[in-house]
């Protein structure tokens, strides 16, 4: 059975990706900050292996990969954080942490996993980016730069590791009703206002992202490498449709 290693897979989009992966016959291992927070998912999916730790810590990632005892076939670099604040109100510490988790750690985890995949000669890496890295907005601060940076690094990974048998792509969720955004949409009025600007006229779901990730990981996507798959109902391409015509 193929093995998927999902960072930040305890809840939100990563947890849904774990559910879909298990349903499609993948072995799944998760690395996330807290076993306690992951316990409901681990109870739901008893075969899933869990490693507690922070993706920004090299020794934690290496220990988890060593403990796996086999090289993952799929890495989903999904762990991410966002802290809304205008740029001038963002502390140095918050800025650094946001870049560290969303960009630096994602690249470092990819490098550690890729080294093992390269020895085998095959593997697939999917970095979770964001529409916020494509079409930025005030208050998203370091997250926008980190996600756009991760999309760029995805292209570089494909160029360096593609010839060695790997496929590396990213998936950019748009406005999603799950995960870190769930509390925003508790208010149906906010959802209504926001979906008015989305060509598909709805928010994304956790399943939309899980489906995209697992399709990209499948053989059906065998010739896709270095691509950012935007899963946003058309939002980021709809700028001109939001400009009044008269
Ligand atoms: N939900 C959205 O609207 C949305 C939109 C665009 C992109 N994304 C991206 O999707 C991914 C998943 O986000 P989500 O919405 O499910 O968020 P979430 O907050 O529900 O889940 C993120 C998970 O990452 C884990 N995590 C955070 N920092 C970590 C660290 N240092 N080490 C290990 N694990 C860590 C958290 O514990 C959590 O389980 C993120 O990369 C996020 O940036 C989400």
């Amino acid at each position: 059975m193929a093995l998927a290693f999902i960072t930040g897979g305890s809840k939100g989009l990563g947890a849904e990706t774990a559910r879909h992966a298990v349903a499609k016959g993948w072995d799944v291992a998760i690395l996330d900050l807290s076993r306690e927070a992951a316990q409901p998912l681990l109870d739901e999916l008893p075969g899933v292996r869990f490693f507690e730790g922070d993706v920004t810590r090299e020794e934690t990632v290496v220990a988890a990969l060593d403990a796996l005892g086999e090289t993952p076939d799929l890495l989903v670099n999904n762990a991410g954080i966002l802290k809304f604040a205008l740029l001038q109100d963002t502390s140095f510490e918050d800025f650094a942490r946001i870049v560290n988790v969303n960009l630096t750690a994602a690249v470092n985890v990819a490098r550690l996993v890729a080294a093992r995949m390269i020895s085998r000669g095959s593997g697939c890496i999917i970095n979770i980016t964001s529409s916020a890295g494509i079409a930025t907005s005030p208050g998203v601060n370091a997250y926008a730069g980190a996600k756009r940076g991760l999309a760029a690094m995805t292209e570089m990974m494909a160029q360096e590791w593609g010839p060695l048998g790997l496929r590396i792509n990213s998936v950019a969720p748009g406005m999603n009703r799950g995960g870190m955004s769930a509390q925003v949409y508790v208010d149906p009025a906010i959802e209504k206002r926001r979906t008015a600007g989305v060509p598909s006229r709805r928010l994304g779901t956790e399943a939309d992202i899980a489906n995209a990730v697992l399709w990209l990981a499948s053989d059906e996507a065998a010739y896709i490498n270095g691509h950012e798959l935007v899963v946003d109902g058309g939002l980021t391409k709809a700028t001109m449709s939001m400009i009044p015509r008269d």
Side-chain angles (χ1 to χ4, degrees):
M1 222 189 306
L3 172 64
F5 185 60
I6 305 174
T7 68
S10 298
K11 63 187 190 77
L13 279 46
E16 190 66 4
T17 302
R19 287 188 193 95
H20 283 234
V22 168
K24 286 182 183 293
W26 289 81
D27 263 338
V28 171
I30 288 172
L31 172 64
D32 206 317
L33 292 171
S34 151
R35 176 175 288 277
E36 199 185 336
Q39 203 52 54
L41 183 74
L42 300 178
D43 291 342
E44 182 188 330
L45 304 173
V48 167
R49 281 176 279 176
F50 182 81
F51 300 94
E52 188 174 64
D54 187 323
V55 287
T56 66
R57 302 193 66 87
E58 181 179 7
E59 66 277 14
T60 301
V61 179
V62 170
L65 293 173
D66 286 347
L68 273 178
E70 57 185 309
T71 298
D73 301 280
L74 168 64
L75 163 67
V76 186
N77 251 325
N78 167 81
I81 54 169
L82 169 63
K83 191 168 173 186
F84 279 105
L86 292 174
L87 264 185
Q88 291 292 38
D89 300 330
T90 304
S91 68
F92 277 35
E93 291 72 21
D94 282 347
F95 198 98
R97 178 72 183 164
I98 291 165
V99 172
N100 201 9
V101 174
N102 292 292
L103 176 59
T104 313
V107 175
N108 284 334
V109 173
R111 294 196 303 155
L112 290 168
V113 174
R116 294 159 192 250
M117 290 175 166
I118 288 165
S119 302
R120 186 183 53 202
S122 69
C124 178
I125 296 175
I126 297 179
N127 298 314
I128 305 300
T129 55
S130 172
S131 61
I134 301 168
T136 62
S137 55
V140 179
N141 63 67
Y143 183 84
K147 291 297 193 181
R148 190 178 289 193
L150 185 55
M153 295 308 294
T154 302
E155 295 169 13
M156 187 182 300
M157 291 175 200
Q159 289 162 37
E160 293 199 8
W161 305 335
L164 305 173
L166 274 57
R167 285 195 304 118
I168 306 93
N169 292 290
S170 56
V171 168
M175 290 193 297
N176 200 289
R177 67 157 58 259
M180 57 175 61
S181 306
Q183 76 272 17
V184 174
Y185 300 111
V186 170
D187 180 351
I190 294 181
E191 176 169 345
K192 195 172 171 211
R193 279 201 302 277
R194 290 195 170 190
T195 50
V198 182
S200 291
R201 293 292 188 269
R202 68 168 176 87
L203 298 170
T205 64
E206 294 166 339
D208 288 324
I209 304 309
N211 283 328
V213 167
L214 290 166
W215 176 76
L216 258 185
S218 77
D219 288 344
E220 291 181 7
Y223 199 52
I224 301 178
N225 212 344
H227 182 69
E228 182 169 43
L229 178 57
V230 183
V231 185
D232 70 344
L235 174 67
T236 48
K237 292 285 187 191
T239 321
M240 289 310 292
S241 73
M242 294 170 204
I243 305 293
R245 284 281 169 197
D246 43 28

